[in-house]
Structure formats: structure tokens, C-alpha cells
Amino acid sequence: MPAPSKDSLCAWLAHTTAASPAAPAIMEEDRVTSFSELLAQAQSLAVRFVEFGVVPQDRIVLVLPKTTDAIIALFATLFAGAICVPIHPQWPAERIESVVAECSARLVIHGDTCPPRITDSRTGTFLPWPESPASPDSLPVIDDPNPALILFTSGSSGQPKGVVLSHRAIATFVHWTASEFHITSADRIACPSPLGFDLSTFDIFNMALTGAACVLVPSNIVWMPRFLTTFIRDARITCWYSVPSILSGMLHRGRFADYTYPDLRLILFAGEVFSPPDVVRLQTAVPHALCANLYGPTETNVVTWHPVPTGFDGASPLPIGQPCPYAEITVDPATGELLAGGDSLMSGYWGHPQETSRAFVCLHGRQFYRTGDRVQLDSTGSYTYLGRFDRQVKRRGFRIELAEIETALLNHADILEAAVIATTRPQTGTCLTAFACLRASTTLTPTDARMYCARSLPAYMLPDHILFIDAMPRGNRGKIDYAALSAMQKD
């Protein structure tokens, strides 16, 4: 199928629909939606948005699980020229409200009804979901430099920060994956990642570009390895892209290696370090599939990649690889920090120009993003990840700023000081331990403190353990000694 003439993501959907109107676009359990149905419903909803007064670059927040209706709402937002802000519906209400306020959302779409409920965030006015097709003639023309998504990630200031991705930035990554991995309309791409996670741009927009079918993984089985193993076989998945934690779960607890997967030809993983022994287990279980490690923070999407070589023995870490064709990669010679440039870079942090400025460095007249990752370049031109310069960690692929957890604890009136450390354990991944000093005579318990954090933090950011101590260990300059806390945690 010839490539569409424009790189606006919604133009891709219109182009593919014209070529294959009856082909399945989204497969969700018993519900199958064709490209013509997806396009008609998305454009009708977009017309409703425009009639209601939505203008280009307004923000529409989706508080939705990854369902057919959510993908319809996403494309409708893009067709209306607005910016889509997907939020995980299981986030605490306080965190959702802060994001809605942060981006000055025009509309908020909630998924606790069928069809989803649409409200004007300023007035509370209800906007009905359209029941009949509408002409798309009133929809604006979308240019690829326009913002498409704002993805909110953990922020070291204690508040989530919004990464703005343009149509062009997302299209750059998707074009490459479609070409490099030969994705076609014959593929069935699994969709395990939530809408607010940058990995989901792979499955949704490859569907729009190539005509592949998006097969939605039920959210209740994503972290249930045995059910997931069965799903991949029964749904005849050909392409899989997820965080390594999900794959490790299937390898260790899902009996993944006990079965064959004749349809599964591509397994991509990104978002966190994949244990080398588990990479060996994966390659052994599906020797016919191409397995590849993709690397890049949300701010850059994927900028390097490394196919797992045949016979990888797991004796050393798997490299993050070599630059993608559209990426410019260099290393700060003074620090070893990886700097990433190219067409997949974010436009900036929503509403925070100073933080955006600090995140970039200009080299040779071009912008490079400071990843905060230490890397090493080997003789073959591949990069190996060595660790972080800051206190950011990954858990199930989600970015976590430990300072944000500390801020949540310190907001409690009975907590005087708080410090959080992260440790990595084989098979179980990242473990978060919080230490806190309390006011005298308080009756606060660790369970109470964890429940308090749950009011503002998503589940993946909640500490596994909260330990109350009399005083924080400190170094010579009076700063908290995190190494001493790590030793205490081991004891």
C-alpha cells in the first residue's frame, strides 16, 4: 500500500481506510471494529467536539482504559486538531485532577460508562457521544508539526510533568518500525501498554499506517502471566512490544516456554533493563522470532535499538545498540551522559519553558536532549547502558522520580523527614523502600502512611515497605546518606 502523502496521524487512518475499509482495525475480545467503522466514529466524534467549540490545540483528557472507545476518542481528538492527554483511569483522583488543571483541559472523557462520558472541565456540561455519522467537512487541516499527545510522567518536583509529542515526532518512530520490521496489513499487533505510556504509539499508529490489526490485551490479564501466554497463542499475535517485566513474568510464571507460537515473528521490548538470562530464555522459547531491545526516554521515543544476536549467551548486559536512522546520538565526553537528537524529540514540557530549556543542550546548531543515562560506546558502535546520574528509576517500565514519593510522604502532617531508595531483585524487579522520621506522640502506622500516599500516587509508585526511624543518616555536608539507608534496608 503506498504511503500517505501527509504525516498527520489521523490522515494515516483516512488513507488506510480508503484502501482497506472492511479490514479489522481493532480487535477487542468479542468486538471487532473495521477501518471504515473506526474512521466514521472518530470523525463523527471530532465533529461533535468542533461544534461544541473545541479549537486546534485545545487539550482533551482521556481517563480511559485502552479500549475501542478510547482509540476512537484519541483519533477524534486528533481529527479535531486538539491535543490528546491520556491518563490511566486507576490513577488517584487527586493526581488526575492535578493533570486536568495543569494542562487546562477543555474536555475530559471518562470510561466508567458505555459509551464514555464527555464533560466540559470548565462548566461541567455533558456532551453526548454521537449516535449517527456526521460529515467531516468542518474538521481542520492538521499539520505534522502540531502537538498530538501530552504524556505525563513522574516529576522530581513532586508533580507530574507533561511531555509534548508532535504528529511528526510520533510519525518518525512509527515509519521506521513499519519499514525496519516489515509490518503489514497481515500483522496482528498486541496492545498491552496503557494509552498514557509511549510504547502504545507503536501499536495504535502502526495500525493506522500499515493496516495491521490492533489486538487489545484485556487490562485485567496484562500482569497475569499464564492468561497472557494463552492470549498470545489464541489471538495469533504476530508482533509484540512491551516492557521486559511482562515478558519476564511469562517466562517465569506463565509457562511461556512450554508452548509454541508459530505466528509470533517479532518481540520488541523497551522501558527498563531486561535481565540477560531472561533474554536467553526468551530467545530459546521463540527461536524463529526477531527479538530486539529498543531504547529511549519518553522525551525522545526510541533512538537506539539492538537486535538480539543468534546464540546470545547472557554473559554480559544486552546493549541498547546503535542509533535509529532518524536519531542523532552523542556522548558528553566529560560525564558519559547520552545526548539524543533528531526528528523524534519532544516539543517540550507542557507549560514549563524553563524546565524544557534545562533539558536540552545545543551542539553544532542542533538540539540534543539530556537523557540522564550513563552509557559506554564499544568498538562495534553499540552503546551499553550503565545507569543513571540522578535518582530516577524504572518500575514495570514506568518512570519514577523518587523525590516525588518523598514529597507525597512529607505532605503528611506527622512526617518530618522522608527518604526513598530503590533496589532491584531478580525476577521481582524494582523494590521501593521509604524511610520516615515522625513527629513525637503520633500514632501513624506504615499502613496509614502508604494509604495516604495512595491518594496522590499511582499504584506503581507506592513504596513496598515504609520504615520509621529515629533520625536520618547524614553525610559530612548534612545531606541524607542514601547509601547508609541502602545498607539499613539490606539488614
Side-chain angles (χ1 to χ4, degrees):
M1 182 170 61
S5 59
K6 293 183 62 178
D7 273 341
S8 73
L9 304 173
C10 42
W12 287 359
L13 180 61
H15 176 271
T16 298
T17 299
S20 306
I26 307 172
M27 306 178 75
E28 181 188 6
E29 299 186 79
D30 295 333
R31 180 181 180 183
V32 178
T33 303
S34 69
F35 276 96
S36 61
E37 292 168 332
L38 175 59
L39 179 66
Q41 292 177 53
Q43 289 185 330
S44 296
L45 184 56
V47 170
R48 179 63 55 84
F49 291 160
V50 172
E51 290 174 346
F52 189 71
V54 170
V55 298
Q57 302 198 27
D58 271 352
R59 276 72 60 203
I60 298 179
V61 172
L62 309 187
V63 190
L64 301 170
K66 199 170 186 180
T67 62
T68 302
D69 285 338
I71 296 175
I72 290 170
L74 185 153
F75 278 105
T77 301
L78 301 181
F79 272 117
I83 307 172
C84 184
V85 187
I87 295 177
H88 200 293
Q90 292 182 351
W91 275 15
E94 183 178 309
R95 190 179 184 88
I96 292 174
E97 290 166 3
S98 72
V99 168
V100 170
E102 172 77 13
C103 68
S104 302
R106 182 70 173 85
L107 297 175
V108 179
I109 306 179
H110 293 271
D112 51 2
T113 60
C114 187
R117 186 176 71 255
I118 309 169
T119 55
D120 184 332
S121 64
R122 303 169 189 174
T123 65
T125 304
F126 173 72
L127 179 64
W129 194 273
E131 296 182 355
S132 57
S135 171
D137 294 343
S138 61
L139 297 178
V141 175
I142 312 302
D143 293 323
D144 57 7
N146 290 1
L149 300 178
I150 302 177
L151 303 182
F152 274 84
T153 68
S154 179
S156 58
S157 65
Q159 292 292 327
K161 57 184 178 183
V163 177
V164 182
L165 300 177
S166 68
H167 285 258
R168 178 181 296 165
I170 297 169
T172 295
F173 163 67
V174 176
H175 266 306
W176 172 72
T177 57
S179 173
E180 182 65 44
F181 302 118
H182 309 291
I183 297 173
T184 72
S185 59
D187 279 307
R188 297 161 74 98
I189 305 175
C191 309
S193 300
L195 280 175
F197 199 12
D198 59 331
L199 271 67
S200 69
T201 60
F202 169 82
D203 45 66
I204 294 173
F205 297 116
N206 259 299
M207 172 266 289
L209 176 65
T210 70
C214 256
V215 186
L216 304 186
V217 180
S219 58
N220 62 326
I221 71 165
V222 169
W223 296 103
M224 300 176 69
R226 289 198 179 187
F227 287 93
L228 206 52
T229 297
T230 301
F231 176 86
I232 292 173
R233 298 198 321 273
D234 292 348
R236 296 187 290 113
I237 298 300
T238 65
C239 303
W240 177 273
Y241 183 33
S242 77
V243 295
S245 299
I246 296 177
L247 293 167
S248 290
M250 287 191 287
L251 291 166
H252 289 282
R253 301 183 299 281
R255 299 177 60 189
F256 187 81
D258 292 352
Y259 305 97
T260 59
Y261 308 87
D263 300 294
L264 189 58
R265 66 174 187 84
L266 177 66
I267 300 178
L268 307 176
F269 46 87
E272 59 190 352
V273 174
F274 202 175
S275 158
D278 280 353
V279 175
V280 174
R281 292 185 183 97
L282 178 65
Q283 191 176 57
T284 302
V286 282
H288 60 282
L290 170 64
C291 301
N293 185 20
L294 308 188
Y295 162 85
T298 303
E299 288 85 347
T300 69
N301 212 315
V302 172
V303 286
T304 69
W305 77 293
H306 183 79
V308 179
T310 302
F312 177 69
D313 61 8
S316 57
L318 189 69
I320 60 173
Q322 299 186 355
C324 300
Y326 53 81
E328 296 181 70
I329 301 296
T330 189
V331 176
D332 186 328
T335 63
E337 180 182 16
L338 187 147
L339 307 177
D343 291 339
S344 67
L345 259 62
M346 69 170 180
S347 306
Y349 295 115
W350 180 263
H352 293 277
Q354 292 184 340
E355 191 165 352
T356 299
S357 180
R358 287 193 296 268
F360 287 100
V361 60
C362 186
L363 297 175
H364 315 299
R366 295 189 295 275
Q367 291 281 85
F368 286 80
Y369 173 73
R370 299 178 179 273
T371 65
D373 291 333
R374 290 187 298 112
V375 298
Q376 187 174 48
L377 183 64
D378 65 23
S379 58
T380 68
S382 289
Y383 293 91
T384 298
Y385 174 80
L386 301 178
R388 294 285 303 172
F389 284 101
D390 54 21
R391 298 178 59 233
Q392 182 188 113
V393 299
K394 290 289 188 73
R395 194 181 203 188
R396 293 184 171 183
F398 290 100
R399 176 190 303 181
I400 298 174
E401 296 283 0
L402 298 181
E404 186 174 357
I405 305 174
E406 292 169 351
T407 299
L409 286 163
L410 288 169
N411 285 336
H412 194 289
D414 289 337
I415 296 178
L416 294 173
E417 288 189 288
V420 180
I421 62 169
T423 54
T424 302
R425 299 172 178 173
Q427 297 187 23
T428 57
T430 300
C431 175
L432 302 176
T433 302
F435 296 84
C437 299
L438 304 180
R439 296 186 186 276
S441 72
T442 181
T443 59
L444 186 71
T445 67
T447 300
D448 294 335
R450 195 172 191 274
M451 291 177 64
Y452 178 80
C453 289
R455 293 167 49 184
S456 59
L457 300 178
Y460 63 84
M461 291 183 68
L462 294 178
D464 299 285
H465 310 285
I466 299 179
L467 306 177
F468 294 157
I469 57 179
D470 294 330
M472 289 288 174
R474 298 188 180 277
N476 294 333
R477 297 185 179 181
K479 295 184 177 180
I480 292 175
D481 188 339
Y482 287 97
L485 290 175
S486 296
M488 291 170 61
Q489 193 264 358
K490 290 178 183 178
D491 293 339

